[in-house]
Amino acid sequence: MKIEELKKYSFTTRPLTPEEGGGILIKFLDFNNCFSDGETIEEALNDCIESMKAWNMNIPEPFSY
């Protein structure tokens, strides 16, 4: 899934502290229990989707909050 498509989903982010490993934590509001982290928002977004695909989970359409 391309980054432009991923950004259609509602999500929250917060920076991770150095003790937490640094980077950014992301939580999608459209997906239950989908958290991911990465050095960039794009990396964290993509990681979450790729994890869902690996677990053969359905990826819902974006919901407008």
Side-chain angles (χ1 to χ4, degrees), residues 50-63:
E50 293 305 316
S51 295
M52 290 179 72
K53 286 180 182 177
W55 285 91
N56 293 318
M57 297 173 73
N58 289 329
I59 300 171
E61 292 297 315
F63 184 78

Side-chain angles (χ1 to χ4, degrees), residues 16-23:
L16 295 170
T17 66
E19 293 78 24
E20 294 173 308

Side-chain angles (χ1 to χ4, degrees), residues 15-30:
L16 295 170
T17 66
E19 293 78 24
E20 294 173 308
I24 298 167
L25 177 70
I26 190 167
K27 178 183 180 205
F28 282 95
L29 303 177
D30 293 308

Side-chain angles (χ1 to χ4, degrees), residues 9-12 26-34 60 63-65:
Y9 290 93
S10 297
F11 59 89
T12 61
I26 190 167
K27 178 183 180 205
F28 282 95
L29 303 177
D30 293 308
F31 311 145
N32 291 330
N33 301 316
C34 189
F63 184 78
S64 177
Y65 284 89

